[in-house]
Amino acid sequence: MSVDSKVQTPLHYFHGVFGRPGIESDSSKLFNTDVECGLVIKEAPLSAHLNVRGDAGDAGFCKAVADVLGVALPTDPGLCNHNDSISIYWLGPSEWCVIALGGDAAELEAALRAKLSGHVSIVDISGGQTLINLRGHGVETVLKKSTVCDFEALPMAKPGQRGVTQSTFAKASAVISNRCDGSYDLIIRRSFADYIAQWLLDAGAEFGCRIER
Amino acid sequence: MLLIHCPHCREMREEEEFSYSGEAHITRPLQPELLTDEEWGDYLFFRTNSKGIHHEMWFHAVGCRRYFNVTRDTLSYEILESYLIGTQPTITGATS
Amino acid sequence: MKKYSAFSLLKNALSYHENWQKVWRNPTPKAEYDVIVVGGGGHGLATAYYLAKVHGLTNIAVIEKGYLGGGNTARNTTIIRSNYLWDEAAQLYELSMKLWEGLSQELNYNVMFSQRGVLNLGHNLQDMRDIERRVNANRLNGIDGEVVSPHRIKEIAPLINISPNSRYPILGASWQPRGGTARHDAVAWGYARGADALGVDLIQQTEVTGIRRQNGAVVGVETTKGFIGARKVACVTAGNSSVVAAMAGLRLPVESRPLQALVSEPVKPCLDTVVMSNAVHGYISQSDKGDLVIGAGVDSYNGYGQRGSFHVIEHTVQAICELFPAFSRVRMNRQWGGIVDTCPDACPIISKTSVEGLYFNCGWGTGGFKATPGSGYVFADTVANDRPHTLAAPFTVDRFNSGALIDEHGAAGVAH
Amino acid sequence: MSTAVTQKNRTGSGSCTDASAPIQFTFNGKSYQGVVGDTLASALLANGVDVVGRSFKYARPRGIVGHGAEEPNGIIQLGSGAATVPNLKATQVELYPGLEASSVNGWPNVDFDLMGLIGAFGRLMPPGFYYKTFMYPKKLWMTYEHFIRQAAGLGATPVENDPDSYDKLNQHCDVLVVGAGPAGLVAAREAARTGARVIIADEQAQFGGSLLASKQTIDGLAATDWVTAMVAELEAFDNVQLLPRSTAFGYYDHNFMAILERRSDHLGLTAAQGTRQRLHRVRARQVVLAAGAFERPLVFAQNDIPGVMAATSVTTYINRYGVVPGTKLVICTTNDSAYQTAIDWHQAGREVVAVVDTRSVLDGDLVAAAKALGINVIAGHGVIEAQGGKRVKRALIAPLNDDGSAVTGSARRLDCDLIATSGGWSPAIHLSSHTGAKPIWDEQIVGFRPGASKQQERSAGACRGTYSLAGCLAEGASAGAEAAKLAGCGDGNMHFPLPTCEEYAQQPQQALFLVPHTKSASRAPSQFVDFQLDVTAGGVELAVREGFESVEHVKRYTALGFGTDQGKLGNINGMAILANALGQSIAETGTTIFRPSYTPTTFGALAGRDVNQLFDPERYTAVHRWHSDQGAKFEDVGQWKRPWYFPQAGESMHDAVNRECLAVRNSVGILDASTLGKIDIQGPDAAEFITRMYTNSYLKLAPGKCRYGVMLKEDGMIFDDGVCACLGENHYLMFTTTGGAAGVLSWLELWQQTEWPALQVYFTSVTDHWTTATVTGPNARKVIAKVCNDIDLSNEAFPFMDWRDGTVAGIKARVFRISFTGELSYEVNVPAHYGRQVWEQLIAAGEEFGITPYGTETMHVLRAEKGFIIVGQDTDGSMTPGDMNMDWVLGKNKAFSYIGKRSLDRSDTVRENRKQLVGLKTLEPADVLPEGAQIVFDPKQQIPMSMQGHVTSSYYSACLGHSIALAVVKGGLERMGQKVYCPLADGRMIAAEIVSSVFYDPKGERHHVG
């Protein structure tokens, strides 16, 4: 963790912070990361996040997106199609979030714009949100503490496809997606990241909890 | 504590994800300038406020960010249907 | 009417309380009345009382579908204050305040009006600007009020949290010492007893189902007990205003929504005033029985079900714990909901209508209880003279056409 | 001190207690011993503690009556200090080592209470006595009230912060079973085997409900063993959650159940680790209510003396806790179930003096069993009065007529120290009633049963009036299978064979709610209906006599059912007595409305983790930590924390703001403007859409250009403002106010989605994506030039109200030449992950110019010097653009009637003398008007004064050397140069002159500077 590193992801200041019973959060550097935590929160590195809008009923639009991204556009609610680097999350009937892990948003936007025409919208929101993964045996309980949605009812995660939903997260909101390994991905907004980090450290304290990058 | 079917997400979702947006099917007058103050005031403020069958708009604020319509009984709070903006309810006060 | 006093109590005790007079009659409706007041809540009963007392009308009936005082009168959190922002509202509520100050004696019924003061808290700079503005306006309107510091707030309500580090730090408050609470049921019963003694027929368990009109004028009401004639019909049916208006073919600029409240178990005296906060969204006082009486927010949706959503209760209790962390271990004993009819500007309608002889008093939103005496007073005057009382004139329904709204959201918000 | 000596009523271990494991505790300062598994009530009874409290109104001594949620008397204060808990029911407090409890009333103590003297004057305090007195003299009421209040309340609230924490789980399940008695257990098992997600909750520490005190056998097992086996079976399902110590306290719409789980209360006053209590917010597809029933006590004279208990509670103390709360028992009953109590008592080796049965003919199996044991059964009699002081000494019994309405012969005494009564059972219909289901009076069960379901729920077992064990098991199993099927699991058929158990033949019970006395209710010794609030049969009858006829009126007049037990014991008796007084049936009289909470619910648990700093999110910009490192003071703007000002060592706020202001005016300052709302707008109809939303037009705004706009609500009042930039063809970026961002976005979506779906336009929030650093002041260009070399910064190439793409400090940026200070300004926008880096580079670049970070206060001063409004401060929801002297922002030739336009032509919005925005200059330059000061024209008038407006913004302008203010004044624009006055609360009257609202650089030359 370095304050003068060029890029600061939203949880920058929380990397290495942990929570444990009796302590809401502790930024002590002495924490031994080998200690088993029932909740591990891992923030993805800076990635390309694009908000994409368009007509799901337009086959040309869907195909163009798929061609550029190499991942089919999910047109049914609650689905996230993905490969190793790119995930497309269904957000609404005409709205998706594309995350390219470690990707360059400007390049991706340009590539999409080159193929897309008509009434579409592509917006770089890479700075405005972050992707975090929650794993460990405490994850279901912590999610139940945090969101009103029935995340257990998400479409089952399988290779290439996950379930996704948007809902409340504490008093903020989050995109919530399940993974095959039983962990969950969350997309949260930057300005709420400190609040959500504090919330998660508190909610996960009973299991032992740490945030890492 | 309502459980609301979002026709876009095609799921029952918790009330806390939504915000209420008032009576549905109130169309903005095409030429407001031609209206009297009374007619304009009626559009702005006066509502059916029905007790029983009520058509209303909800916004899936922390979900898909779409507006949609709901037919709800304002006495029992039972939600009878949800339907897309621009479409008409199948259940109305007259038929209930 | 036999007068109540300590002496009468003693006298009746000696006869095993077997000789108390009935508090009101249970009359059968006459064929016709000069005025029918629809709705036997506090406002309706006060209207009938002042029609009889001030305007000498005695051929009056109050028609109530349930039991007297069983609507919002029975369900509110009983806060009384008059520190409203705009002149029109402030004067109306201040008339009420003055009537409250003599009401127990006026009615010979102890309504337990307790002038323990009301604090309206400010948590950010804009709150404080609004508080300054309102208190200045109140003072120049002759209404008591001052802006008080966190330190002074702590003196008034010692368990309050004034830490500058809290999430919603308390920066100050407006303080109206003459504000307070009253025993809500007693207000209805006191007016009912007073009205009955003046000859008003109080007709309970009778629902008005229609408003009969001829040539654009009211001639009476249809009820579950048959038609009852009337020259004038005055509707005071909070929670059902739109429904009753529809009986006369009228629409109102009103929406009906659930407003929830809750009480704790009774605890020893620990809060000697009324504390309200718009920003954290809650208000609290302690009843004479010891319950912490807490108001929740208005639910977002229209509803006539006298109940709302649970998360509103949760948010309210969070707000109370933010203001009074020590109450965290106190327990909620009971919660309930009423239906508030709210106008777009959070001010009431006290108005003649396009139907001759038909009057409406509605739209009090969350703030009706405190207005009970003044509302009844000006509405009675409006009905008796068929023209708006001076203080009621700004509150006609016409303001929604002209645009002359009296925007009291700052004063109402959650605040009651 | 040995157990045997102190616990005189302990006979051994019960089904839930271990008599060999003693626990020390104190009650009212005295030390006692209980055993593991005890409740405080069972331990007190074991120790022979008779008086546990004093009643609310008359301060009469009171003892334990029940064994659970229904207990009205055993109200205690647990512990002391920050963690003390008021008003717990001793019957629900599980004993833990070192527990300390005390009675909530009684001074100096419960055994000798001076307030009890008042009880002697009880007759002076009938229902409603408050309303009839204390009115004269008027001015003394507040003094009377003070004394009335001193007597009020039960326990005391803590006065310190709660040391415990609480949390919540949002649960979703197919079948929720409330109650883990016989019906609930089999219901859960049937539902579980279908694969449904099942939650079963019970308020007690152990599952089993009534079976825990039962001596019946099920499937050949002792009832408690059968329960153990069932629980093990349920635990083996991974789709079942078992929640003991979990009370379903409120049933809300659409099958939402709120359940409070007590996680640590049985271990100590505070939670050693984890949360003390947890709120389960359960959304269930189907609900099975198996909440059981409460035994109804019989009402007779002086039935409140300690030593009068519910019969089933006596059974429970014997069988479950191994406590026999007395030596000589008299039972008074209207039904067969109390005979089990007699049998249990007898088998515990103590004397049953008599079972007094109000029925004249007796032939049930249990009656026979009792008689076979030699128990004395007296038929056709009732206990009409208890006698004794702080403990029952004898029962007065008398023969009754057939319907139990009158005493037919002389009374006789039975010496005893315990009277156990049973007046039948009241199903626990609370949760069903919360849904709005209207309870139905059932003559067969002599009680209200649940009304027709309003939700996806059904009741099973005793809570729907089925009292036989076999019946409960059958109903439970069927309900579980049915609920699962309706939730989409299983076929609705029961899978497991019904458990078998023995049945007793019972004869009908008698409906009796008030055992008559030889005197009338008004003259007999008090016959208590509601123990906690001292409501008597006479009181109910008095209310009727005074004309209160509605059950709600009587409840409110007498306080019947208003206690912390919510009338679980008293309500039905009270309503029946009321019905009798009114000469009508109980069905006609009806019940009062059941409300949550079923049992009292901790505020902390309702609040959950959303307390203290987590009460509401704090939103931070990417530069937040830099600001706090610099010692910034923060201002709350909505949920955002914005730097308010940056005090340096020794500076007051005033000093800091003056310094910051002068820095901007004289050199350069920098503001974190990242909190401004930003909405990306794309689509072929974007310009048309934006033009409909703002009062001015954007149809001809070219790429690279910006325009300031005002947004109205449809009522014509200003709702938000900000700059909108054209980013490219069909592509715009809209800035909103900080507080208005979310509201504006949903406002745009509302109109597009619901009114004009044909307009092709998409909106995306980019508020969080950008860090916005406003570099402003005469040296701003020089600062930017140091870190940006790919934008031609010259005024000609990059004029005011333009924007450019470029690279700032090595990062791709958008730079806007817009200004809220009136100075040359560049708003540098970079993706937020570079925000802090770019900010620090700008600071470094500006160092040579003394670049000064400034906060919202300085921003406010600078914009006020320019007369720029802040929506929400200078406007209040009743202000039009015209009122703000901003007619220039109204597009005159727009084809479409933009939002709010029509309202600007209403009679009130076009009238003369509306309040208008003006500047005020105090006659004394150093006087700064308070914001919120009211304005009058005539300072000499009497109160009430005629108010003409108010001060909306007011500051000391260091740059101008005098105070400045913005105000709205009636007809203000016509009153330039006139004097107005602000009468202040401190008595001062400040005079000011109406001036232009633009105080500084009125021609706007500085922000254009080349």
Side-chain angles (χ1 to χ4, degrees), chain A residues 53 77 91 95 165-167, chain B residues 8 13 17 63-66:
Chain A
R53 305 289 304 268
L91 298 184
E95 184 170 7
T165 190
Q166 298 168 85
S167 190
Chain B
H8 300 287
R13 304 290 285 258
E17 295 181 0
C64 64
R65 297 201 305 125
R66 302 294 98 190

Side-chain angles (χ1 to χ4, degrees), chain D residues 662-713:
Chain D
L662 290 171
V664 173
R665 290 279 181 242
N666 297 331
S667 180
V668 64
I670 184 168
L671 173 81
D672 184 358
S674 309
T675 62
L676 286 182
K678 295 172 274 295
I679 300 168
D680 182 283
I681 303 174
Q682 300 183 26
D685 297 314
E688 170 64 21
F689 186 87
I690 295 167
T691 300
R692 292 183 184 191
M693 305 308 293
Y694 280 124
T695 59
N696 51 355
S697 176
Y698 291 77
L699 295 174
K700 291 180 180 156
L701 190 70
K705 299 286 180 193
C706 307
R707 183 164 292 165
Y708 170 82
V710 167
M711 223 176 260
L712 310 181
K713 283 273 162 124

Side-chain angles (χ1 to χ4, degrees), chain D residues 26 92 198 340 423 536 599 714 724 1003:
Chain D
T26 61
Q92 294 186 301
V198 176
Q340 184 66 50
T536 63
T599 55
E714 194 70 291
C724 189
K1003 292 187 181 157

Side-chain angles (χ1 to χ4, degrees), chain D residues 264-515:
Chain D
S264 74
D265 287 345
H266 58 294
L267 301 173
L269 192 57
T270 58
Q273 65 176 50
T275 52
R276 177 183 167 223
Q277 296 177 349
R278 172 172 282 173
L279 180 66
H280 295 265
R281 311 168 84 247
V282 182
R283 183 72 75 174
R285 286 181 197 274
Q286 296 289 328
V287 169
V288 176
L289 297 173
F294 294 107
E295 193 172 35
R296 211 159 42 229
L298 284 167
V299 178
F300 51 87
Q302 305 204 112
N303 55 334
D304 67 326
I305 295 174
V308 178
M309 293 178 71
T312 190
S313 298
V314 173
T315 291
T316 300
Y317 286 114
I318 296 171
N319 294 337
R320 186 165 163 186
Y321 298 101
V323 172
V324 187
T327 55
K328 296 171 73 171
L329 172 68
V330 167
I331 289 176
C332 183
T333 185
T334 62
N335 62 80
D336 285 7
S337 69
Y339 286 85
Q340 184 66 50
T341 306
I343 293 166
D344 292 341
W345 187 274
H346 177 84
Q347 289 176 344
R350 298 208 177 164
E351 180 189 355
V352 178
V353 177
V355 178
V356 181
D357 196 318
T358 61
R359 299 169 297 182
S360 44
V361 182
L362 308 172
D363 63 2
D365 287 353
L366 283 170
V367 179
K371 284 181 173 167
L373 292 170
I375 292 170
N376 178 24
V377 175
I378 305 172
H381 278 63
V383 170
I384 64 165
E385 184 175 328
Q387 295 184 342
K390 290 172 191 159
R391 176 80 191 198
V392 167
K393 288 196 171 70
R394 67 194 75 82
L396 217 52
I397 71 167
L400 306 179
N401 61 357
D402 277 350
D403 67 359
S405 62
V407 173
T408 55
S410 55
R412 61 182 162 117
R413 296 167 164 193
L414 296 177
D415 285 348
C416 61
D417 64 358
L418 190 76
I419 301 173
T421 78
S422 178
W425 296 79
S426 300
I429 55 173
H430 305 68
L431 292 172
S432 132
S433 302
H434 291 174
T435 68
K438 204 170 162 43
I440 297 163
W441 179 257
D442 186 331
E443 296 285 353
Q444 291 300 310
I445 64 163
V446 195
F448 282 99
R449 57 179 168 79
S453 294
K454 299 275 188 182
Q455 307 242 0
Q456 299 300 311
E457 57 91 9
R458 77 274 308 131
S459 295
C463 72
R464 76 183 285 269
T466 301
Y467 299 133
S468 76
L469 179 55
C472 288
L473 292 165
E475 277 185 18
S478 151
E482 176 197 90
K485 182 188 180 201
L486 291 173
C489 307
D491 58 7
N493 294 320
M494 288 183 279
H495 177 79
F496 299 96
L498 275 184
T500 55
C501 58
E502 70 265 45
E503 281 289 338
Y504 304 118
Q506 300 205 13
Q507 67 177 114
Q509 61 178 309
Q510 182 171 36
L512 185 63
F513 307 96
L514 171 64
V515 183

Side-chain angles (χ1 to χ4, degrees), chain C residues 307, chain D residues 251-256 435 453-457:
Chain C
R307 64 186 189 280
Chain D
Y251 195 159
Y252 300 86
D253 284 298
H254 300 187
N255 258 19
F256 184 93
T435 68
S453 294
K454 299 275 188 182
Q455 307 242 0
Q456 299 300 311
E457 57 91 9

Side-chain angles (χ1 to χ4, degrees), chain A residues 104-116:
Chain A
D104 182 292
E107 280 174 21
L108 201 58
E109 178 174 349
L112 281 166
R113 285 201 183 276
K115 285 277 187 180
L116 297 177

Side-chain angles (χ1 to χ4, degrees), chain C residues 17-18 23 68 101 105 110 114 129 140 167-168 183 266 268 272 288 314 328-329 332-333 335, chain D residues 87 123 131 135 138 145 149 154 162 168 252 281 522-523 545-546 566 596 601 616-617 931:
Chain C
H17 299 291
E18 285 169 354
V23 71
L68 296 176
E101 286 173 327
Q105 292 72 29
N110 192 348
S114 171
R129 288 182 198 108
L140 299 186
R167 178 63 187 88
Y168 278 76
R183 173 84 181 100
K268 296 277 188 300
D272 219 11
D288 283 349
E314 294 174 284
S328 171
R329 295 175 87 86
M332 173 173 85
N333 196 27
Q335 63 152 114
Chain D
N87 300 351
R123 218 199 283 167
Y131 311 133
M135 284 176 280
K138 179 177 156 184
E145 192 198 27
R149 290 193 67 199
L154 295 170
D162 192 338
K168 302 183 186 180
Y252 300 86
R281 311 168 84 247
S522 56
R523 300 194 179 212
R545 208 175 297 130
E546 287 198 74
Q566 295 241 41
T601 307
D616 202 35
E931 288 169 346

